[in-house]
Amino acid sequence: HLCVVRCDEHKISNKELELVDETTAKSEFKSFINEKEGNHEQYIAFTFKDDLLKATQYTIQVPAGCPSAEGPLMTTSEWSASFNTYEPLKIIDWFPNKNDDWRNTAIPGRTWSLTFNNSLDHSTIKKSLFRFEPEVSGLGIEHTEDNDREILLHNKSQSNTVYTLLIQSEILKDIYGQTLQHDPSDQPIQFEVQTINSPILGVLRGESGMIIMDPALLNEPCYTFIVCNYSELILRINRVKPEHYQEYLLYFNRRNRSDVEQELDNKLPGEELLNEIIQTNCQLNEPKDIRVPLKAYFTKPSGVGQLLILIEPTKKARAEFRNEHWNDRPTISIWLQCTRLAVDVFSS
C-alpha cells in the first residue's frame, strides 16, 4: 500500500524499498516514536536501496483502503507527505567576481571569498585543497561557524593580476557528506586584482579569534598578519587568564569599531605588556607581512601562557584615505594560548 512518487510522476517500485529493522528505527526516529505512547505500534520505517536523485521532491502516499492490524476498518482517505533531497554541493558566488558589475575587482591584499549553497563540513577544509594560477603568496583559509557556507581566502595578491582557483573538489564536503560538484572548464573561478595608482583603501588582515600554539613545536613563537597602505599601526599585547575571557569577547570579531567605541573600550583585560605605534613602511598597494615575536611575553622558562593581541591602524593612518570613513576602525583581535593542553571546538 506504500507508494513513493518522484516529482516527474515516476513511481519507485516497492522492490526498491527496504524495511528498517526495529532497533535501527528506534534509534533513528527516537524522538518521534517516543512523542506519544501509541507511536510504538503505529509507524513504518523504510529506506531506499538505491540513491535518490539530488535536489528532487518525492511524495510518500498511503492510499485509502489501507488495512489495520487492530481490526477490519480501513483508511477512508489518502495520506501523503513530501520531502526534498539536498542540492549537490556547489559554488554559487565568489568575490571578486568579474560577472558582478559592483564587485568585479579587488585591491591588492583584499580578502577573497567563496560562497557555497550548503553548509560546509569544517573538518574537510584544508589549505592544501586550494591552488592558484599564478601562485598567490600569503594564502590563509578561514571558515567560521557564524557563516558556515563561506570560505575566506586571505592573500598577498599583486596588482594587475588575474588569479584562477583550482580546488580538489573530491575532498571538500558539506554537512550532508556530499563532495563538491564543480567543473573548472565550465565555470572558471577567477579573482581579478585591479591596477591603481593611488591608495584608495587600507587593508589589515590576519587570523583572529582563538589561536592555539604548542610550545614544544615553536622555538620562536610569533604572530603574522598582512597590512596594505596603512602607514602605522597600534600594537597592544596583554597577558590574560581564563577569567578574562568574557571581557575579551568584546574584541572577538574583526568588525570595525568606531572611534567613540574605541574610547569606551580602551582598557583591555589583563596585564598590559606592550602598547606602541609601529611603522609599517608599506609600499603603495603592495601587501606586506608583519611578524610580531611573542617569546618575550610568555611565562619563563616554560614558554607557556595566554595573550590578548589587538592590532589596528592609527587615526593618522586612516586619515590618509579620502574615501575611508573616520569612524571605520578595522581591527585584528586574538586570544592566543601557548599551552601543552588545549581543546579546540567547532560546532555546526
Side-chain angles (χ1 to χ4, degrees):
H1 294 82
L2 195 65
C3 182
V4 180
V5 183
R6 208 164 58 200
C7 58
D8 59 1
E9 303 301 324
H10 170 77
K11 290 186 178 182
I12 297 179
S13 167
N14 283 1
K15 294 180 180 179
E16 300 177 62
L17 307 180
E18 183 177 0
L19 289 175
V20 175
D21 64 81
E22 187 175 359
T23 301
T24 302
K26 288 183 176 180
S27 173
E28 293 287 333
F29 308 106
K30 182 178 180 180
S31 60
F32 169 76
I33 294 174
N34 292 335
E35 187 175 352
K36 60 181 182 179
E37 186 176 352
N39 284 352
H40 286 267
E41 304 293 336
Q42 299 174 348
Y43 72 87
I44 178 172
F46 65 94
T47 186
F48 300 88
K49 294 181 180 180
D50 300 316
D51 290 340
L52 301 179
L53 299 181
K54 296 179 179 181
T56 303
Q57 185 181 69
Y58 291 85
T59 301
I60 303 172
Q61 299 173 341
V62 178
C66 183
S68 169
E70 298 180 351
L73 297 180
M74 299 183 180
T75 55
T76 58
S77 60
E78 179 185 291
W79 175 91
S80 66
S82 299
F83 66 90
N84 292 278
T85 52
Y86 302 118
E87 291 190 359
L89 178 61
K90 55 188 176 182
I91 298 170
I92 58 175
D93 196 11
W94 59 93
F95 169 80
N97 186 338
K98 66 179 182 180
N99 299 318
D100 187 332
D101 292 338
W102 297 99
R103 308 187 311 153
N104 53 11
T105 62
I107 67 168
R110 180 80 180 270
T111 295
W112 304 332
S113 65
L114 292 171
T115 304
F116 299 79
N117 62 325
N118 296 336
S119 298
L120 298 174
D121 179 352
H122 185 72
S123 66
T124 67
I125 301 173
K126 297 177 176 60
K127 183 177 175 179
S128 58
L129 301 182
F130 304 89
R131 183 168 62 86
F132 289 90
E133 294 180 354
E135 184 178 355
V136 61
S137 61
L139 181 64
I141 305 299
E142 184 176 349
H143 176 244
T144 60
E145 179 183 2
D146 58 348
N147 193 355
D148 57 7
R149 295 192 302 114
E150 182 178 74
I151 292 178
L152 300 180
L153 304 167
H154 304 297
N155 61 83
K156 287 180 61 181
S157 55
Q158 301 298 313
S159 62
N160 195 29
T161 306
V162 176
Y163 295 90
T164 301
L165 173 63
L166 302 174
I167 305 179
Q168 295 185 42
S169 56
E170 68 278 5
I171 297 178
L172 186 63
K173 295 182 179 180
D174 61 19
I175 59 175
Y176 312 119
Q178 303 178 120
T179 56
L180 177 64
Q181 304 294 308
H182 180 74
D183 184 353
S185 61
D186 182 54
Q187 185 189 43
I189 298 178
Q190 295 180 318
F191 304 92
E192 182 176 348
V193 182
Q194 66 196 71
T195 301
I196 47 181
N197 298 318
S198 61
I200 62 170
L201 188 67
V203 174
L204 181 63
R205 292 287 183 269
E207 297 293 333
S208 62
M210 180 75 73
I211 296 179
I212 300 171
M213 293 182 175
D214 184 347
L217 303 178
L218 299 169
N219 292 325
E220 296 293 334
C222 67
Y223 174 76
T224 302
F225 62 95
I226 296 173
V227 62
C228 182
N229 291 331
Y230 286 123
S231 60
E232 58 183 29
L233 303 170
I234 300 172
L235 172 61
R236 303 174 68 183
I237 301 177
N238 279 28
R239 181 179 291 120
V240 287
K241 298 179 180 180
E243 54 263 33
H244 295 129
Y245 189 73
Q246 290 299 321
E247 295 179 66
Y248 160 72
L249 292 179
L250 295 172
Y251 299 91
F252 183 70
N253 60 50
R254 292 185 294 113
R255 289 176 294 183
N256 293 344
R257 294 187 296 136
S258 70
D259 287 334
V260 174
E261 291 171 324
Q262 165 64 14
E263 293 301 324
L264 294 174
D265 291 338
N266 195 43
K267 188 178 186 307
L268 297 179
E271 175 191 356
E272 183 174 276
L273 303 177
L274 181 69
N275 187 348
E276 67 178 22
I277 295 176
I278 60 174
Q279 303 300 313
T280 64
N281 299 316
C282 287
Q283 300 298 315
L284 177 65
N285 298 322
E286 293 292 334
K288 179 179 180 179
D289 279 337
I290 293 186
R291 181 176 178 272
V292 181
L294 299 174
K295 187 174 183 178
Y297 305 111
F298 290 120
T299 304
K300 299 176 182 179
S302 63
V304 299
Q306 301 182 71
L307 301 176
L308 194 163
I309 304 173
L310 186 69
I311 305 167
E312 56 192 353
T314 64
K315 184 181 293 188
K316 171 180 174 293
R318 291 182 289 120
E320 295 168 356
F321 305 104
R322 294 180 181 177
N323 64 335
E324 185 157 319
H325 298 294
W326 275 77
N327 280 340
D328 286 346
R329 185 182 290 269
T331 303
I332 296 176
S333 59
I334 311 104
W335 181 287
L336 190 148
Q337 296 184 89
C338 193
T339 174
R340 295 182 179 87
L341 177 63
V343 177
D344 189 13
V345 177
F346 180 89
S347 59
S348 61

